[in-house]
Amino acid sequence: MQPAIALVLGAVIGVLLGFLGGGGSILAVPALVYGLGLDFRQAIPISLIVVGAAALSGAIPKARAGQVDWRLAAVFAAAGIPATFAGTAVGTLLPQPVLLVGFAVVMVVAGIRMLRESDDAGTACKTGDFGIDWKRCAPRAIPAGLGVGFLTGLFGVGGGFLIIPALVMLLGLEMGVAVGTSLVVIVANSAAGLIAHLGDADIDWSITAAFAGAAVVASLVAGHLGTRMETGRLRRWFAYLVFVVAVYVLVDTLFLR
């Protein structure tokens, strides 16, 4: 029964990822915990596999289209990978209720980011045809990479809801390149997080295969269909759904357990 439920939940996450281009993975951990009854620490490595696989499937066509800034991706990954291991180490020291409350807070931040989508771009990394001015760019890129990597290790989230605004509004990348660059960073951080969790992870591979496989396939199909849709309203409704799930996590953790 669990693999069948995992297929359905994975497909839902994949559809959201495909339509929205990111953010849908924020519901992967709650789906695994409340939909499949897994422990929070069991859910994190499975979520990382799902997030990483979905990001990789989206990153490949972006890379082929030249919509990845590999230098900034390398900076984010170089800062984020060690931070991912640090987040994993901190997570092993915290009790599950604290992790769940922290995750709910991250969900609220993600929902707010979705409601405040903006096309306003920064200029920290804009240098015309002369490359990147690292004196201006690195002080913003490195802390952002550290923060995203830490959250990936701690909670098993991809962090696209933080990476993309940082790339667009702080560093000045165009949205299409920011999305492609974000996907590459998510793949790197998710792989590092999975490695960090493998030592003490109890992964149910049948659930993982069903969840990740359904998510990737549904994401690809929805991504193709989503090119014909206006996703602004869908993004707003999804943000409201994230808020509702965050409230449920908080109530369940603080009052029902």
Side-chain angles (χ1 to χ4, degrees):
M1 178 62 73
Q2 277 192 319
I5 298 174
L7 278 172
V8 174
L9 293 176
V12 172
I13 299 297
V15 167
L16 292 171
L17 282 167
F19 280 141
L20 301 174
S25 61
I26 196 71
L27 291 182
V29 170
L32 291 164
V33 172
Y34 296 102
L36 292 169
L38 300 184
D39 180 88
F40 188 83
R41 288 187 173 87
Q42 288 179 298
I44 289 178
I46 297 176
S47 172
L48 289 170
I49 293 172
V50 174
V51 170
L56 180 62
S57 68
I60 291 173
K62 286 286 186 180
R64 288 176 175 172
Q67 293 186 312
V68 174
D69 189 313
W70 292 102
R71 293 167 297 179
L72 283 178
V75 170
F76 264 75
I81 289 174
T84 299
F85 283 91
T88 301
V90 170
T92 61
L93 302 176
L94 297 175
Q96 181 162 308
V98 173
L99 289 172
L100 284 167
V101 170
F103 186 79
V105 172
V106 170
M107 293 184 72
V108 170
V109 173
I112 292 172
R113 283 288 343 139
M114 291 171 198
L115 291 176
R116 296 178 60 187
E117 285 295 318
S118 173
D119 293 327
D120 295 335
T123 59
C125 295
K126 280 189 175 179
T127 55
D129 298 325
F130 301 100
I132 293 176
D133 182 356
W134 290 110
K135 288 183 179 180
R136 299 177 63 224
C137 184
R140 299 188 183 190
I142 292 174
L146 287 169
V148 170
F150 187 82
L151 290 177
T152 299
L154 188 61
F155 297 123
V157 297
F161 64 94
L162 294 176
I163 301 173
I164 292 175
L167 291 172
V168 173
M169 291 183 282
L170 294 181
L171 307 182
L173 267 66
E174 295 179 358
M175 179 58 75
V177 177
V179 171
T181 305
S182 172
L183 290 170
V184 171
V185 175
I186 290 170
V187 172
N189 285 350
S190 297
L194 180 61
I195 292 170
H197 280 280
L198 281 179
D200 58 353
D202 180 19
I203 300 177
D204 187 319
W205 290 106
S206 63
I207 290 176
T208 303
F211 198 96
V216 170
V217 171
S219 175
L220 292 172
V221 173
H224 177 70
L225 297 175
T227 58
R228 309 168 191 173
M229 293 180 58
E230 192 282 310
T231 58
R233 180 177 298 180
L234 179 62
R235 185 177 295 276
R236 288 193 296 274
W237 281 107
F238 177 70
Y240 300 144
L241 174 61
V242 168
F243 291 143
V244 170
V245 175
V247 170
Y248 178 83
V249 171
L250 285 173
V251 171
D252 180 70
T253 303
L254 297 177
F255 302 107
L256 301 181
R257 294 194 176 209

